[in-house]
Amino acid sequence: MTKPVAEQTDLSRRTLVTAGLGLAAASSIAAAPGRATAARKTLPNGFWWGTATAAHQIEGNNTNSDFWLAENVKPTLFQEPSLDACDSYHRYGEDIALAAKLGFNAHRFGVEWARIEPEPGKFSAAALDHYQRVMEACHAKGLAPVITFSHWTVPRWFAAMGGFEHPDSPALFARFAERATAKLGPLMSAASTFNEANIARLIQARPESKLIGPAVRAMLAACAKASGSDRFASVLFADLAKSEANQVAAHEQAFQAIKAGPGNFPVGVTISMQDVQGVGEGHRATEIEDQIYGPWIAQAAKADFVGVQTYTRIRVDANGIMPPPKGAELTAAGYEFYPEALGATIRYAARKTGRPIYVTENGIGTDDDTRRIAYIDRAVASMRACIDDGIDVRGYLHWSLLDNYEWVFGYKQRFGLVAVDLKTFKRTPKPSALHLGAMARSSRRLGK
Ligand code: BGC
């Protein structure tokens, strides 16, 4: 008999949280040694301060995507469906104006493949026009559009043919990238092919991930059945043995397609990073790093930049990944509040790839906004220390502008600088929004 949904979602929640999917926050841990402001070097000219979002998590009614189906089949791992999300598909103008008013100069968001190519080879001019309007609105408000071509979601038809398990998948993803770039490239300031290309590796590195295996398989089987297919593959719950080589090829081909223009902007890939700390003799930190990053560090090393996305650390001893230390502050997402992971992962990414770095995500799931402010201060201090040491960091995009749809956890985990009423869609900036905005403004005004 199938397990009750509540039981499955509880399992998925625990597992995915510990797997680092929720990821990030300040505490009883002593502040890391900061640097005196006077000793700080100037931030690079045009340093980007802003926020990051994802199409599926804010737009609403992404009905043609694989996630929409997975959220609505039975059984499902999702605690609730995304439905209207933040209705940003219609309210993007308000969001962009708010981000600009807060003091930001860059805005990361996704162009949704499922909307742009609703049927294989059929492209929606209206969807492309929509994203053109969004990008134009960014420019009008002084925000650099930082684009994600795929933030985990794919069109339902693509998932039903096997997603990145299908040998045609690299060419299909590259074709989408080419069509979107043809229309939107001139308006892009930077772009990444995949969001957290290594996410399935990160989840699977956790021993607990085995626990959700049967529930994932049941959900995907229900999706396949609803699609009249014998398969349904998701980026998040990928079978890496079957899909990773194709996803790498998809990145490489899409990278070339985007670089071919029009437009002239850096193209990279973003990676979900953990500050992997070895503990004790014989610790397996290097092995775990190799396991969670796989081929993606080498891919980033060939791109124009690496997008660092960091929320916390993991400690690894001789037996593998350890639980958070006793007494450590945990975020609402269940992982350790450890803002200094940002600086550590920037150093790791710089060392391993030698590429310029944008922090494309960093944040904390919490209902206590004072902890968000503390997190931001310590994370940004750790980033600035990297810049002081000569590391080429070009922007900090906080996750996220809005409280949004946090995937399997639904709307109960809140990462936003701005609260959203899910009935009226009213946006209310939290003190942390003003705090980060003021930081952005003052760093620009003072040229530091
Ligand atoms: C993802 C976001 C997610 C955030 C917080 C990142 O791994 O890119 O989509 O909402 O973490 O969990």
Side-chain angles (χ1 to χ4, degrees):
M1 210 181 84
T2 326
K3 275 192 191 140
V5 170
E7 205 177 314
Q8 292 172 359
T9 49
D10 183 53
L11 191 60
S12 70
R13 178 184 163 74
R14 267 186 288 119
T15 304
L16 291 180
V17 160
T18 46
L21 175 59
L23 324 176
S27 73
S28 50
I29 305 165
R35 308 223 159 189
T37 310
R40 281 199 179 134
K41 294 206 178 101
T42 307
L43 286 178
N45 255 345
F47 187 87
W48 283 344
W49 290 98
T51 56
T53 62
H56 188 74
Q57 292 177 271
I58 60 165
E59 287 181 346
N61 297 291
N62 190 16
T63 55
N64 199 41
S65 67
D66 60 333
F67 273 74
W68 180 274
L69 181 59
E71 291 159 19
N72 289 289
V73 289
K74 282 197 176 95
T76 181
L77 283 166
F78 291 81
Q79 292 192 359
E80 54 185 328
S82 54
L83 289 174
D84 291 327
C86 306
D87 194 29
S88 292
Y89 197 76
H90 302 109
R91 292 166 201 264
Y92 66 87
E94 193 185 330
D95 294 343
I96 288 165
L98 178 56
K101 195 169 163 207
L102 286 169
F104 301 133
N105 61 353
H107 183 53
R108 176 172 179 245
F109 61 96
V111 290
E112 181 58 62
W113 184 9
R115 293 187 196 273
I116 292 175
E117 192 179 357
E119 293 293 334
K122 308 259 164 59
F123 290 85
S124 163
L128 287 165
D129 281 352
H130 167 82
Y131 290 114
Q132 183 175 26
R133 286 193 293 273
V134 178
M135 291 180 199
E136 283 169 353
C138 286
H139 287 291
K141 291 285 179 191
L143 299 175
V146 179
I147 304 308
T148 312
F149 277 80
S150 177
H151 198 121
W152 300 347
T153 43
V154 298
R156 183 174 158 166
W157 60 260
F158 182 80
M161 60 176 260
F164 289 104
E165 293 176 13
H166 197 286
D168 293 346
S169 56
L172 290 172
F173 183 64
R175 180 176 69 179
F176 151 64
E178 186 206 315
R179 290 296 285 261
T181 306
K183 169 92 174 179
L184 305 167
L187 292 166
M188 296 183 193
S189 297
S192 60
T193 52
F194 290 111
N195 175 68
E196 297 189 345
N198 63 322
I199 188 66
R201 280 188 162 266
L202 193 66
I203 294 173
Q204 287 169 27
R206 304 293 312 208
E208 312 89 308
S209 77
K210 290 195 179 56
L211 297 175
I212 59 162
V216 166
R217 282 192 291 278
M219 177 178 72
L220 295 178
C223 291
K225 191 167 171 219
S227 308
S229 175
D230 61 351
R231 64 200 67 193
F232 198 88
S234 155
V235 168
L236 199 52
F237 306 110
D239 181 339
L240 289 167
K242 293 185 187 159
S243 66
E244 192 173 57
N246 284 335
Q247 203 183 342
V248 167
H251 160 77
E252 289 177 330
Q253 291 182 27
F255 180 87
Q256 295 303 338
I258 302 165
K259 289 301 287 180
N264 183 17
F265 51 89
V267 183
V269 60
T270 81
I271 302 185
S272 178
M273 304 204 75
Q274 304 267 323
D275 174 11
V276 181
Q277 301 182 352
V279 177
E281 230 170 86
H283 68 72
R284 294 166 47 205
T286 307
E287 180 191 325
I288 296 292
E289 280 167 351
D290 291 346
Q291 207 178 332
I292 65 178
Y293 300 132
W296 294 105
I297 293 286
Q299 285 301 325
K302 291 191 281 181
D304 297 334
F305 71 90
V306 50
V308 167
Q309 309 203 163
T310 307
Y311 290 80
T312 191
R313 68 171 173 180
I314 46 178
R315 295 157 71 244
V316 177
D317 64 11
N319 298 315
I321 297 175
M322 304 160 69
K326 280 209 171 60
E329 178 180 348
L330 301 182
T331 69
Y335 47 81
E336 188 183 353
F337 179 101
Y338 195 79
E340 289 73 25
L342 180 60
T345 49
I346 288 173
R347 288 175 198 280
Y348 179 87
R351 197 168 64 243
K352 292 283 182 179
T353 71
R355 305 311 297 148
I357 287 168
Y358 288 94
V359 176
T360 40
E361 281 186 30
N362 174 247
I364 167 175
T366 181
D367 287 335
D368 178 353
D369 198 51
T370 63
R371 303 315 289 148
R372 182 172 288 103
I373 290 175
Y375 185 90
I376 289 171
D377 284 347
R378 285 171 44 182
V380 168
S382 75
M383 172 188 76
R384 291 204 60 143
C386 296
I387 296 169
D388 290 353
D389 289 343
I391 297 178
D392 186 359
V393 185
R394 300 183 179 185
Y396 175 85
L397 306 177
H398 188 80
W399 184 270
S400 183
L401 179 65
L402 306 173
D403 283 340
N404 59 46
Y405 184 64
E406 182 54 29
W407 307 109
V408 292
F409 311 124
Y411 290 101
K412 283 166 208 82
Q413 273 187 29
R414 300 184 184 88
F415 282 81
L417 298 170
V418 175
V420 178
D421 182 315
L422 294 175
K423 290 210 175 69
T424 63
F425 303 108
K426 187 175 177 334
R427 277 82 164 128
T428 308
K430 303 173 191 177
S432 56
L434 308 180
H435 184 77
L436 185 61
M439 206 182 263
R441 273 180 216 282
S442 94
S443 108
R444 273 204 304 281
R445 198 172 45 242
L446 303 175
K448 58 171 198 165

